[in-house]
Amino acid sequence: MIEIKQQADLKNYHTFGVPAIAEYLAEVHSIEDIREAIDYARSNNLKLNVFGGGSNVLFKTNPKGLTVVNKITGVEVVRETEKEVELSVGAGEIWHDFVLYCLDHKYYGIENLSLIPGTVGAAPMQNIGAYGVEIKEVFKHLDAVHRETKELERFNNEECQFGYRTSVFKTTQRDKYIIARVNFVLSKVPELNISYGAISQTLNEMGISSPTPEDVSKAVIHIRSSKLPDPSKIGNAGSFFKNPSIPNEAYEKLKMQFPNMPGYSQPDETVKVPAGWLIEQCGWKGKKVGNTGAHKNQALVLVNYGNAKGQEIFDLSEQILKSVRDKFGINLEREVNII
Ligand SMILES: Cc1cc2nc3c(=O)[nH]c(=O)nc-3n(C[C@H](O)[C@H](O)[C@H](O)COP(=O)(O)OP(=O)(O)OC[C@H]3O[C@@H](n4cnc5c(N)ncnc54)[C@H](O)[C@@H]3O)c2cc1C
């Protein structure tokens, strides 16, 4: 039996720290609970919202209807060979705890994704990624309850249509499923990926010349903790915007006007431009606007200095979108889900 709370404060259910009250709230611990929540919403004519750790959402308003928080736990080994292991993981497991569990058991492949907040079930939603690794590289399949039929359906890697911070669950299948379990295939043989960002430099500074995956995880944790604001101290949801990809010719034109503009060529004849750089060039880095602002170390992260309302943060994001459009002619897209 699920417990339904009314007028539930969402303070401990999301990382932006803005005031938000759920009309109804239920934590689900099993697939049966998910089905019960769907029935409850249907019989009371309520909209259904689903969250994990609330680390990629901004509550602009109070969520109407029934807010379901996924708390399905458990990690099971379903297959194991000498070289790899397949794990089935409850969608409500905390992502970083799962990374640490894997390192403890010497299962490798997600050490670069250490310290990303949120749950395992939300990870495929936007194909979480950091330091040169995305979860699509270790993802096998997921099981999700269809919100209409209540059937459990399986999506393999291809069916999820993973892309840069996106999947089918953010596009054609948006709001249609509740993810219950995710299966990953991890390697028992370490294969390090330390070429990206400051990982190898940090390992050097740590005096490590032959790193293990555990060392890579520690380096990533060190970099992230020194660069990104801790949501338990300063409310935020990580990168607020995605890095835009623009056509090669458009990039070449902009580069003549802004010779320092960084860009990374993509296989589809576009160039990915760091959104943080664009925002910084518009003067937002470290700038405070009322109770909000763009973080001093990373302009891509919008923060709540304590008493911000969701609408204020949203308004700031609108101003940033406009200034980037005016200066560079580039339309940024929000990564954070606006509620
Ligand atoms: C400090 C900080 C740093 C971050 N760094 C990164 C980073 O490096 N890389 C990165 O990719 N992301 C990053 N993020 C964003 C965030 O951590 C990820 O998007 C994470 O996967 C969100 O998990 P969550 O459980 O908190 O999802 P929520 O915020 O609860 O939900 C996010 C979306 O997924 C949906 N959803 C959640 N669970 C389910 C489910 N079980 N079934 C169906 N839909 C569901 C929600 O409806 C919502 O649309 C960062 C966030 C913060 C605060």
Side-chain angles (χ1 to χ4, degrees):
M1 274 288 277
I2 53 170
E3 188 196 345
I4 310 269
K5 292 187 188 136
Q6 281 194 43
Q7 299 301 317
D9 192 342
L10 291 174
K11 196 168 61 195
N12 297 325
Y13 288 97
H14 73 117
T15 60
F16 240 129
V18 299
I21 306 283
E23 200 178 358
Y24 297 89
L25 180 126
E27 292 185 354
V28 293
H29 298 268
S30 64
I31 289 168
E32 268 324 295
D33 281 1
I34 293 180
R35 292 186 171 130
E36 206 186 315
I38 293 172
D39 285 340
Y40 185 88
R42 197 173 291 165
S43 50
N44 291 284
N45 210 9
L46 299 172
K47 182 177 177 274
L48 201 62
N49 312 294
V50 187
F51 301 113
S55 62
N56 202 16
V57 293
L58 173 66
F59 292 108
K60 197 161 70 126
T61 52
N62 289 329
K64 285 248 174 318
L66 176 61
T67 292
V68 171
V69 182
N70 200 310
K71 295 278 181 186
I72 299 176
T73 55
V75 181
E76 283 163 36
V77 174
V78 289
R79 185 175 59 82
E80 192 164 9
T81 66
E82 217 175 285
K83 286 198 175 138
E84 59 182 35
V85 64
E86 180 179 340
L87 301 170
S88 170
V89 190
E93 286 284 347
I94 302 300
W95 173 261
H96 181 61
D97 291 350
F98 173 56
V99 173
L100 296 181
Y101 166 96
C102 290
L103 287 171
D104 267 359
H105 289 78
K106 310 220 171 299
Y107 304 150
Y108 305 125
I110 51 174
E111 47 281 353
N112 293 43
L113 304 179
S114 296
L115 215 61
I116 296 183
T119 56
V120 165
M125 288 291 298
Q126 69 156 11
N127 179 29
I128 57 166
Y131 300 99
V133 173
E134 291 181 323
I135 74 142
K136 71 170 189 199
E137 289 155 44
V138 293
F139 176 95
K140 173 125 191 301
H141 63 245
L142 62 76
D143 294 317
V145 180
H146 192 281
R147 290 186 187 202
E148 287 299 319
T149 64
K150 292 191 285 172
E151 294 291 332
L152 195 63
E153 292 181 32
R154 181 158 289 183
F155 289 78
N156 66 24
N157 196 312
E158 201 183 317
E159 286 161 340
C160 288
Q161 294 177 20
F162 291 122
Y164 164 62
R165 297 300 174 273
T166 192
S167 74
V168 77
F169 302 103
K170 283 194 94 171
T171 54
T172 53
Q173 304 302 326
R174 191 178 196 108
D175 294 335
K176 292 199 177 136
Y177 290 91
I178 299 180
I179 298 165
R181 297 197 75 80
V182 187
N183 282 36
F184 300 97
V185 175
L186 295 163
S187 174
K188 290 179 153 184
V189 187
E191 265 176 56
L192 301 189
N193 182 343
I194 57 169
S195 57
Y196 202 90
I199 299 186
S200 47
Q201 192 195 325
T202 306
L203 288 165
N204 278 339
E205 284 163 15
M206 289 161 80
I208 296 163
S209 50
S210 322
T212 62
E214 289 79 3
D215 295 328
V216 173
S217 171
K218 281 186 192 136
V220 168
I221 291 172
H222 177 79
I223 301 166
R224 294 184 70 100
S225 318
S226 57
K227 212 175 79 177
L228 292 170
D230 175 353
S232 68
K233 297 189 182 113
I234 302 180
N236 76 90
S239 303
F240 202 91
F241 303 97
K242 293 188 191 185
N243 293 318
S245 282
I246 57 173
N248 283 344
E249 315 83 74
Y251 178 75
E252 288 312 323
K253 260 194 189 162
L254 280 167
K255 186 92 178 158
M256 293 204 300
Q257 216 183 329
F258 305 99
N260 297 330
M261 182 185 251
Y264 305 93
S265 290
Q266 303 297 303
D268 62 351
E269 307 207 335
T270 63
V271 177
K272 193 177 274 184
V273 182
W277 186 88
L278 297 169
I279 297 168
E280 192 178 336
Q281 297 306 304
C282 294
W284 291 105
K285 192 173 180 180
K287 193 166 174 175
K288 258 187 166 184
V289 181
N291 295 307
T292 79
H295 193 250
K296 62 178 175 18
N297 296 341
Q298 174 51 280
L300 197 49
V301 178
L302 304 192
V303 294
N304 173 5
Y305 285 110
N307 297 310
K309 296 208 167 66
Q311 182 69 48
E312 266 179 278
I313 296 170
F314 182 80
D315 290 347
L316 173 67
S317 76
E318 288 279 281
Q319 287 186 53
I320 292 175
L321 284 174
K322 182 173 181 314
S323 59
V324 170
R325 198 184 308 123
D326 290 350
K327 190 169 173 105
F328 297 103
I330 294 177
N331 285 313
L332 292 182
E333 203 185 314
R334 292 183 184 89
E335 181 182 313
V336 169
N337 299 280
I338 309 296
I339 311 297

